[in-house]
Amino acid sequence: MIKRKRVVINLSKMIEQGKTIGIIGGGQLGQMLALSAKQAGMYVNILDPNPHCSAGQVADELIVAAYDDQQALAVLAKKSDVLTYEFENVDLDALEAVAQFTYLPQGTELLKITKDRILEKSFLQKHGLKTAPFRAVNNSDDLTKGLEELGYPSILKTCQGGYDGKAQYSLKTVTDIKEAKALLEAGPCILEGFVAFSMECSVMVGRNADGEVAVFPVSENIHRNHILHESIVPARISSTLQKKAQEVAENVARALNLCGILGVEMFIGKDQEIYINELAPRPHNSGHYSIEACNFSQFAVHNRAILNWPLPQIELLSPVVMVNVLGQHVDGVKQLIKQKPQWHFHDYCKDLAKVDRKMGHVTILTRDVEKTLAEIKTTKVWD
Ligand code: AMP
């Protein structure tokens, strides 16, 4: 194998094995980050309000406190050599305040941009990247004007705080306006023109402080009720489009001066153009396949990036299908463990299984994606 030439610009901030990573948030993303970090020889501290949280079970220390508890965050920061987060709704002021106590390689600018749909789309467009057309909507007049300009169908979303299709409303005809207006009470909104797409995709991209970039293959994402159901990798699109999608993700990473991992959610338009839907400044559900299917997982790359370790070139070792396990699937999936010795069953060890709550996922390496999709269907667990 030919060794790649590496130009070492600045490794002064490289954080060595045996040091401590502090993670704000103890959900499944924090758990998988922690597991990967432990494997690499790091200590891990977690901050989460739930004493039974997923990540707390695999970490060295769990600080039980609210995400915006400044005192607790300061304790976490002081105990950690590097601080990161597993979700984007971190309190920005609190994070800024504790940045003085430790190394925060992701900074706060990335969060500021990705927390707000208007800031995010404006940033992307400013950097020549395509998004759905949009208008800021703060009142009924803005909504009427926005709909005149963008037409139907359009989607009204809150600028901040929505996920998995929550806090958004599809407007198909003028009769939908009345109901959509209720969303305006939740705060500033964005009206997005509907992108006619043939597929929803995402690309995970990592970058370290030295500017090295690691791009993952393109994941084709199938949603049910706005929640990710299956990811298929490689996405069933042309190699030209795959390359284009990876380039888009790399461009976003460079434009953002990214340090860490970022999920770039995209629409493959019916016009064959790529539109960015959303950015997730953290590991992403659609990147879980990388644990088994790639030479390095999204979690390993995030840790390496924030520790300022050199980044690897990502290789897909096998085509793969990832299926999410929500609360309503847990019992059925338990039965499958006996029947499917080749499947990888992940369980986040959450204390309570609720409908639509992400409880785990299943990863299936395959030589025949269509056959695997049919096999998943045959189980009837996800009907
Ligand atoms: P989001 O919370 O923004 O990721 O939206 C949830 C889902 O709604 C997406 O996965 C799409 O299926 C759909 N969606 C959101 N925005 C648009 C848009 N501008 N055009 C078409 N579909 C959209």
Side-chain angles (χ1 to χ4, degrees):
M1 196 173 153
I2 303 165
K3 242 188 158 184
R4 279 192 305 153
K5 261 195 194 161
R6 184 179 296 286
V7 185
V8 179
I9 309 159
N10 163 29
L11 286 180
S12 58
K13 285 192 302 234
M14 182 167 149
I15 296 172
E16 292 169 359
Q17 288 175 312
K19 300 276 184 187
T20 302
I21 301 178
I23 306 175
I24 306 170
Q28 64 267 25
L29 301 178
Q31 186 188 55
M32 289 181 270
L33 276 174
L35 286 168
S36 178
K38 291 307 299 169
Q39 203 174 29
M42 310 306 297
Y43 288 91
V44 179
N45 295 333
I46 303 284
L47 182 141
D48 195 276
N50 179 358
H52 307 292
C53 68
S54 302
Q57 300 169 31
V58 300
D60 295 286
E61 194 174 331
L62 170 66
I63 298 171
V64 180
Y67 303 125
D68 60 354
D69 179 335
Q70 209 141 315
Q71 257 183 325
L73 279 168
V75 171
L76 176 74
K78 284 176 187 169
K79 282 180 173 219
S80 308
D81 297 289
V82 55
L83 192 62
T84 186
Y85 45 81
E86 59 129 32
F87 64 102
E88 55 266 59
N89 293 322
V90 182
D91 188 272
L92 257 182
D93 295 333
L95 193 62
E96 257 159 19
V98 299
Q100 57 180 309
F101 300 124
T102 189
Y103 177 43
L104 184 67
Q106 289 158 284
T108 49
E109 199 52 32
L110 170 69
L111 259 185
K112 224 175 265 175
I113 294 169
T114 55
K115 254 174 180 279
D116 185 290
R117 291 184 192 269
I118 289 181
L119 280 183
E120 185 175 279
K121 283 199 166 57
S122 307
F123 176 90
L124 292 168
Q125 290 193 354
K126 200 179 102 193
H127 286 87
L129 296 152
K130 285 197 171 68
T131 72
F134 69 94
R135 297 288 182 276
V137 171
N138 293 309
N139 51 48
S140 318
D141 288 348
D142 291 346
L143 181 60
T144 313
K145 193 159 173 277
L147 284 165
E148 273 167 22
E149 289 169 3
L150 300 179
Y152 293 92
S154 284
I155 305 180
L156 187 69
K157 306 177 181 177
T158 54
C159 283
Q160 294 198 6
Y163 68 97
D164 286 344
K166 293 193 174 74
Q168 58 178 267
Y169 196 91
S170 275
L171 292 118
K172 294 190 185 73
T173 69
V174 71
T175 53
D176 294 327
I177 294 181
K178 210 173 150 198
E179 252 183 81
K181 275 183 184 166
L183 204 57
L184 295 176
E185 280 157 32
C189 287
I190 178 175
L191 184 72
E192 293 182 16
F194 190 83
V195 176
F197 60 82
S198 52
M199 188 184 282
E200 292 192 69
C201 286
S202 57
V203 176
M204 300 308 303
V205 58
R207 185 175 173 278
N208 66 10
D210 288 343
E212 292 179 334
V213 174
V215 195
F216 284 80
V218 186
S219 164
E220 170 182 345
N221 299 327
I222 297 169
H223 297 88
R224 282 190 187 168
N225 303 323
H226 289 304
I227 302 171
L228 184 66
H229 169 52
E230 284 169 336
S231 286
I232 301 163
V233 188
R236 294 171 292 178
I237 47 175
S238 69
S239 54
T240 313
L241 268 175
Q242 290 193 26
K243 224 171 133 217
K244 212 163 137 184
Q246 287 179 306
E247 276 167 15
V248 164
E250 195 165 338
N251 287 341
V252 175
R254 292 195 196 284
L256 282 168
N257 223 1
L258 177 74
C259 186
I261 196 101
L262 175 83
V264 185
E265 292 181 24
M266 309 168 184
F267 298 125
I268 306 290
K270 288 196 171 147
D271 56 4
Q272 299 292 296
E273 294 290 341
I274 293 177
Y275 298 83
I276 299 178
N277 175 31
E278 233 181 347
L279 304 178
R282 51 167 171 79
H284 191 263
N285 194 169
S286 67
H288 293 355
Y289 74 88
S290 60
I291 296 176
E292 288 92 3
C294 292
N295 55 342
F296 286 82
S297 75
Q298 61 167 343
F299 305 100
V301 166
H302 179 73
N303 288 331
R304 292 181 75 105
I306 61 167
L307 297 171
N308 206 19
W309 291 13
L311 293 189
Q313 193 161 357
I314 300 302
E315 284 167 34
L316 184 68
L317 306 173
S318 162
V320 58
V321 178
M322 191 267 341
V323 203
N324 261 342
V325 179
L326 306 180
Q328 61 270 38
H329 307 132
V330 168
D331 290 340
V333 168
K334 277 187 182 149
Q335 302 305 315
L336 292 180
I337 294 178
K338 270 191 177 168
Q339 301 163 28
K340 307 287 182 190
Q342 298 296 111
W343 292 15
H344 296 268
F345 293 92
H346 291 252
D347 188 303
Y348 312 140
C349 296
K350 292 189 181 176
D351 43 3
L352 192 63
K354 285 192 244 172
V355 171
D356 285 351
R357 188 178 192 201
K358 290 175 182 171
M359 303 301 292
H361 68 270
V362 179
T363 306
I364 309 162
L365 303 182
T366 177
R367 285 198 194 95
D368 186 337
V369 163
E370 303 304 327
K371 213 167 134 188
T372 300
L373 292 172
E375 195 182 344
I376 293 166
K377 241 186 179 162
T378 316
T379 68
K380 298 196 187 312
V381 169
W382 286 273
D383 283 356

